[in-house]
Amino acid sequence: MILFKRGHEIHQHISELKKKGLLIGWVPTMGALHQGHLSLIQAARQDCQQVICSIFVNPTQFNNQTDFVKYPITIEKDIQLLTESGADLLFLPTVNEIYPMGFDRLEQFDLGKLEKIFEGEFRPGHFQGVCQVMSRFIKIIDAQHLYLGRKDYQQCMVIEKLIKIMQFPIQLHKCPTEREPDGLAMSSRNMRLNNTERKDAVGIFQALSYIKQNLKAGNLQPLLEKAKSILLQKNFRVDYIATADSTTLDPIQAWDGRQSLVALIAAYQNEVRLIDNELVTPSFD
Ligand code: AMP
């Protein structure tokens, strides 16, 4: 695996590979890698001859400074995992490399209602930060294929919209969520959970499964209340638990029995905020 720290160097290298007709697949991450990230590398490997992973903890997408400061960094282990997984290139830029002009006058993107609901509501500015970093990286890396996890369901939709409004020539692949044996979605933030919090964290998966198993047409509010009580029993502090149209993310409180639904949760175990989602209508998966 070749490591690049400078944008112009990886850009040059990739443009040479593309001239040879190779397909380039890119997996963006913030590091502290786990099997969820590696599953994206494997998906990229299926389609592409060259697989690039980037690791960059993007300051502009953190609305909470503590979350940013405490974000886990395990770079040596990450490099080992990537080497074992067969990634070809690693892009590991500094903050200055990505934001040479600092953080003033960063580009703003018209994301419409997508940045006002769910993660957008509870993490103001988060998706602008995601788009700022993604548009810089897309231009630098210039891959034909991009691999993202459905674990960050709304982020996938935001990046899909960014690609559309900026007309970036890149194809987005949304990959399934990798879970621990008890169902907890793998996440770098899981490393910050103590033993009790880790045991309780499974409540998110249990609440999502409860919604999926008990979904019936009509008013969904009582179902969501019951699912929320599962989270409260496991000591979660809940930002949101909701059902939404899986293609538009419009919140759905009364289900007509036909719309495809995704259930979404964001909740805290003490200081650690976790998110997860599940497609809950039978036509999916
Ligand atoms: P992160 O490093 O958390 O920013 O995640 C980098 C990419 O990995 C994003 O596209 C995430 O959606 C994806 N990802 C994170 N956790 C998982 C998981 N458990 N399963 C599949 N993909 C994941």
Side-chain angles (χ1 to χ4, degrees):
M1 185 174 69
I2 313 175
L3 166 65
F4 289 90
K5 293 195 168 178
R6 307 300 304 267
H8 67 275
E9 287 175 8
I10 194 162
H11 184 84
Q12 176 67 27
H13 184 81
I14 289 170
S15 101
E16 299 294 328
L17 296 171
K18 285 169 75 179
K19 275 187 210 145
K20 291 184 192 154
L22 300 184
L23 283 179
I24 316 290
W26 166 43
V27 177
T29 80
M30 297 204 297
L33 300 182
H34 50 69
Q35 186 51 41
H37 298 115
L38 300 183
S39 71
L40 304 184
I41 303 272
Q42 282 149 17
R45 176 56 71 209
Q46 300 280 312
D47 307 329
C48 303
Q49 290 88 41
Q50 287 281 300
V51 178
I52 299 165
C53 179
S54 57
I55 297 181
F56 182 65
V57 185
N58 173 37
T60 73
Q61 73 186 66
F62 284 84
N63 55 312
N64 175 330
Q65 200 53 23
T66 313
D67 191 28
F68 177 55
V69 171
K70 295 204 171 166
Y71 200 84
I73 294 178
T74 59
I75 194 65
E76 280 170 24
K77 184 168 165 243
D78 292 351
I79 290 174
Q80 190 191 333
L81 286 173
L82 286 173
T83 309
E84 287 164 10
S85 77
D88 300 290
L89 309 176
L90 169 60
F91 183 39
L92 190 63
T94 60
V95 171
N96 195 44
E97 182 73 15
I98 300 302
Y99 298 107
M101 316 292 273
F103 302 125
D104 295 335
R105 295 203 303 274
L106 290 168
E107 199 171 357
Q108 297 292 307
F109 300 85
D110 181 8
L111 300 172
K113 64 177 191 230
L114 257 188
E115 71 167 335
K116 298 193 175 67
I117 51 175
F118 304 129
E119 289 303 280
E121 180 186 348
F122 286 92
R123 301 186 68 188
H126 168 64
F127 286 130
Q128 288 299 326
V130 167
C131 288
Q132 283 149 1
V133 75
M134 285 302 288
S135 68
R136 277 162 204 257
F137 271 73
I138 287 173
K139 287 179 203 154
I140 293 173
I141 293 182
D142 202 15
Q144 297 103 328
H145 295 272
L146 166 63
Y147 296 82
L148 300 177
R150 283 185 192 272
K151 151 91 167 42
D152 297 280
Y153 196 91
Q154 193 172 1
Q155 174 171 273
C156 285
M157 292 182 69
V158 162
I159 293 171
E160 201 164 40
K161 179 150 191 175
L162 172 75
I163 290 170
K164 200 166 164 202
I165 58 184
M166 300 301 286
Q167 297 188 306
F168 286 131
I170 192 164
Q171 189 181 335
L172 171 56
H173 304 260
K174 300 174 187 171
C175 303
T177 301
E178 292 288 314
R179 299 182 177 281
E180 300 289 354
D182 66 355
L184 175 66
M186 291 183 179
S187 165
S188 307
R189 288 186 176 87
N190 294 351
M191 287 179 199
R192 293 183 51 206
L193 300 169
N194 67 29
N195 287 345
T196 317
E197 292 163 348
R198 170 63 189 83
K199 276 195 201 115
D200 284 348
V202 71
I204 294 195
F205 181 68
Q206 290 172 343
L208 290 170
S209 305
Y210 184 84
I211 295 171
K212 190 167 185 166
Q213 281 154 19
N214 294 282
L215 187 71
K216 283 190 197 76
N219 179 11
L220 298 179
Q221 220 46 49
L223 177 65
L224 290 172
E225 283 304 323
K226 279 207 163 172
K228 185 173 179 179
S229 72
I230 296 174
L231 295 176
L232 299 179
Q233 272 164 24
K234 299 280 186 192
N235 303 306
F236 273 105
R237 202 164 76 250
V238 181
D239 267 358
Y240 58 82
I241 172 164
T243 37
D245 182 301
S246 68
T247 52
T248 62
L249 222 58
D250 288 335
I252 305 276
Q253 274 138 20
W255 185 44
D256 63 8
R258 289 190 304 273
Q259 281 155 308
S260 37
L261 290 187
V262 59
L264 305 136
I265 293 176
Y268 285 87
Q269 277 292 328
N270 294 316
E271 263 199 6
V272 183
R273 187 173 186 276
L274 301 174
I275 63 169
D276 197 356
N277 67 84
E278 189 78 52
L279 292 165
V280 288
T281 39
S283 55
F284 282 87
D285 294 351

